[in-house]
Amino acid sequence: MAIAGSGVLPAEVDVAVVGAGFSGLYMLYRLRGLGLRTVVFDDAGDVGGTWYWNRYPGARCDVPTTDYAYSFDARLEEDWVWSEKYATQPEILAYLRHVADRYDLRRDIRFGTRITAAVWDEGARRWRLRTGDGNEVSCRYYIMASGCLSLPKTPDIDGVDRYRGEVYLTGRWPHDRVDFSGKRVAVVGTGSSGIQCIPLIAGEAARLTVFQRTPNFSVPARNGPPPADRVTQLATDREGYREAARWSRGGVPSELTDVSGVTAPEFLRRERFEAAWQAGELFAILGVFSDQGVNAVSNEHVAEMIREKIRAVVSDADVADALCPKDYPFGTKRPCLDSSYFETFNLPHVRLVDLRRTPIVAVTEAGIDTAEESFEFDAIVFATGFDAMTGPLVSVAVTGTDGVTLEDKWRRGPVTYLGLMTTGFPNFFTITGPQSPSVLSNMVVSIEQHVDWIADCLQRLRAESLDRIEPTPLAEAGWVQHNQDCADITLYPRANSWYMGANVPGKPRVFLPYIGGVDAYRRACDEVAEQGFMGFRLDGPAGSRCNDGVIRRLQPDMAMVLDLVGSLGLPPIETMSVPDARAFSEATAASRPPGPEVGEIADAVLPGPAGDLAYRLYRPPTQGPHPLIAYFHGGGWVLGSQDSDDPLCRDLCVRTGSVVVSVNYRHAPEDRFPAAADDAFAAATWIAANAAALGGIPGRLTVAGWSAGGNVAAITCQLARDAGGPEIASQLLLAPVTDCDLGRPSYTSNGEGFILTAGLMRWFWDHYADEADRANPKASPLRGTLAGLPPAVVVTAEFDPLRDEGDAYAEALAAAGVPVRHIRARGHTHTSLTMVDVVISGAPVRAEITDALDGLRSEPSRN
Ligand SMILES: Cc1cc2nc3c(=O)[nH]c(=O)nc-3n(C[C@H](O)[C@H](O)[C@H](O)COP(=O)(O)OP(=O)(O)OC[C@H]3O[C@@H](n4cnc5c(N)ncnc54)[C@H](O)[C@@H]3O)c2cc1C
């Protein structure tokens, strides 16, 4: 029954909200609580949003009902009892109607009313909204609670209008029961909706033909009563459970694993997978391994075990093969939960048509023609998905401050601050907008978080006599970059998914939701608010203010490492004895991923000035001879050895196709300045002289090092120039120590919290060199003469205390006429690049280093 809000539409309100689903209903509840005059619009005939429209057979939630429910009112929770783990559409709709009744929400909702346009009036500082029936309403704040999946994608198949039989769209299902008994039915599309409705339609239809373009991963839902353990947890500590959900990765309390799918033994992999398979929950199967979302090998283990399950169920081997997804990583398209989906294809009256082999040519008057066959149907069901996330927002002609529409602004992909607002559109909020966790999470948790943030924001604006809020371009650009950084370390951008806009022709390919996690996202939003709405310009009768800035600049995986390190509460290295510090750094190294396979690894010694120096040689798998890299490890002249940077050396070897010779050198405090530098120079001299024997190309030596190793590498190049040899073709300095002045700004801004601290650098210097020696170019190469040095690749990291001295060295080299490639590793720390396969965002930087080295190697030397 359609129940409309009563009375005349007011000409002016404080807030207009579009959408009366989970988002709009709770938003209205909060705004009323603030005493703001609010009107809600929905083109549906009643509340419910998704659950009003999607009435197809089998429509259910796929996040358990224990979690897929509001948490803002404990009494509401206590009063409502779900009948199933995954409730059907009618039950969820009944719940939302109950919510509307309970809080008397309908009186402020205009049903059957579509908002078609919204224009910002800067003079009045108000939005003017236009409805489909030609009415206007003016509001101070305009909130789109219009849903991520509310604009169904109509089939873009030739001849759809010609078809004379019954046509159904899963996202716009009729309210009256549809009877497929005795009918020949087609279902086009095998996403979540298709997978849910196919078994039920098969149960009725005389014949069912399923047209599949992309096979989908699906897991048995194992539906039943709500999970007893969670019901108990909620009964005993409801608020604790809800708070855990709010601070979880996906909006459902769950334990994160540290088991890697790459290193776990086969039995453990299978054991973990089987447990997730039996659990019948999306977040379980998405969390079998810690690295399945970022590592292709780990992901493929899960994908293949699901394919095994499909093959075990589907009796026809060809059909099973067609149902097995093979060309995108598991999870990168939304996985599904099903009830007997794959089993349905064993029924004699059900047929699968693989559109990759025989594409649809046209819809005809009687049915569907593929490249090979003509089909006749009594009914066609299009389960063709949605123009997700941005579709409902840009389908309204929203015009901002400078006359630009939202559609124009987002032509190359959405641009938002926190997925909540967008520059040029003041006082315009989006609930679960693009670049917020939204569809990657339990959406009710994300909806409540957005609604609360917006309501709290409006409350504070009012309290501070402000009435206009707009994000700054800087803050917005920073958030867009952070979203991109988060997506780039995952496998998600590899799939042609609706997360990427790939299901809609002409839509830009941009990863739409925020994938950094519900917890990380909530923290960012909270921090923004706590820091005086950082990144927003606020105006009103009380004046203007803006605390401009970027809320997240660290690479997301590095941030996770830092969080983990912080949570361990380890004592700072500089408080340890040297033996303890060495034991600690060795223990840390023992548990890291090994890095890529190389052709050969050999340990040996070379002669140093005060005895033999151990080295480890890494040979590429390709036929030699190869360019040579003499590599010096990091560790502040105190820690480390020839194998302490093993993963980085393997990576350098494979990427650059070079023989890498990683040399140990004498360490402080046993051997203080200039022992390390002398050893490095001697080692480089020996390596150059023995290039051919080592499998290297004579004359193609790069001297490289990280941190203190970068220091001795830079000094080696200076010593070699002064001594007339060895011949060094290039130098690679990774976050090098170049100067003893610890007063540079990066020592302050990055001196704490990024693993290498200012205090630790002081400890290293104290162990290595007397004050009087530190300015010597053999300790501080920045103080030396730089002209005539080999071409250099210098890498500095944004959040490294050593950043400024590395920058200074790169600039001084260039000023001295040395060809330099200076790579500034954005969002990285001192240790990022060495953490191969841990800090995945370091990989593109190492690729850039390889390109830079190649560039230098192919450039004629200017010396
Ligand atoms: C079949 C299906 C199953 C799902 N299952 C889950 C699940 O298990 N777990 C989960 O977390 N999420 C699930 N989702 C996602 C689901 O959309 C959200 O969980 C949630 O219901 C969204 O609520 P909402 O209020 O934000 O948006 P919606 O429920 O989409 O409501 C938005 C409303 O705004 C209206 N609207 C849009 N534009 C306009 C306009 N211009 N003028 C007037 N009205 C407008 C729409 O008609 C709609 O009624 C599912 C989605 C679908 C389609």
Side-chain angles (χ1 to χ4, degrees), residues 17-26 40-56 58-65 67-68 70 86-87 89 92 96 110-117 130-132 142 144-151 170-172 192-193 196 250 282-283 334 337 386 391-393 395-397 431-432 438-447 498:
V17 178
V18 178
F22 269 102
S23 301
L25 293 179
Y26 181 44
V40 178
F41 299 96
D42 200 308
D43 54 355
D46 193 9
V47 298
T50 292
W51 305 104
Y52 174 87
W53 296 110
N54 290 268
R55 294 162 186 254
Y56 58 85
R60 288 175 188 275
C61 57
D62 54 15
V63 167
T65 42
D67 303 270
Y68 189 66
Y70 289 122
Y86 299 113
Q89 172 270 332
I92 304 172
L96 289 169
R110 307 286 146 161
F111 295 110
T113 309
R114 181 156 194 84
I115 294 300
T116 54
R130 197 166 328 118
T131 66
Y142 163 33
M144 283 295 266
S146 46
C148 295
L149 303 172
S150 60
L151 186 64
T170 49
R172 287 287 180 271
S192 293
S193 304
Q196 285 189 335
L282 282 180
F283 290 112
R334 195 172 196 285
L337 289 186
F386 299 91
L393 297 171
S395 71
V396 177
I431 300 179
T432 66
S438 55
V439 292
L440 295 179
S441 65
N442 168 8
M443 287 199 67
V444 184
V445 167
S446 292
I447 286 168
W498 58 258

Side-chain angles (χ1 to χ4, degrees), residues 744-792:
R744 291 187 165 82
S746 57
Y747 263 91
T748 309
S749 57
N750 304 331
E752 282 294 329
F754 301 106
I755 297 179
L756 176 65
T757 61
L760 181 55
M761 256 335 276
R762 261 180 225 109
W763 189 80
F764 284 143
W765 272 108
D766 290 346
H767 280 300
Y768 181 51
D770 294 342
E771 284 287 350
D773 290 327
R774 293 186 190 178
N776 186 320
K778 250 176 125 173
S780 293
L782 185 59
R783 315 257 171 144
T785 306
L786 303 186
L789 288 176

Side-chain angles (χ1 to χ4, degrees), residues 468-479:
R468 188 186 189 282
I469 177 166
E470 183 185 354
T472 68
L474 175 74
E476 182 172 84
W479 186 253

Side-chain angles (χ1 to χ4, degrees), residues 154 250 256 384 458 639 796 800 852:
T154 43
L256 295 180
T384 37
L458 299 191
L639 314 173
T796 54
D800 184 356

Side-chain angles (χ1 to χ4, degrees), residues 458-481:
L458 299 191
Q459 189 176 16
R460 264 179 67 184
L461 290 178
R462 188 174 58 183
E464 296 178 31
S465 283
L466 298 164
D467 59 11
R468 188 186 189 282
I469 177 166
E470 183 185 354
T472 68
L474 175 74
E476 182 172 84
W479 186 253
V480 173
Q481 181 66 64

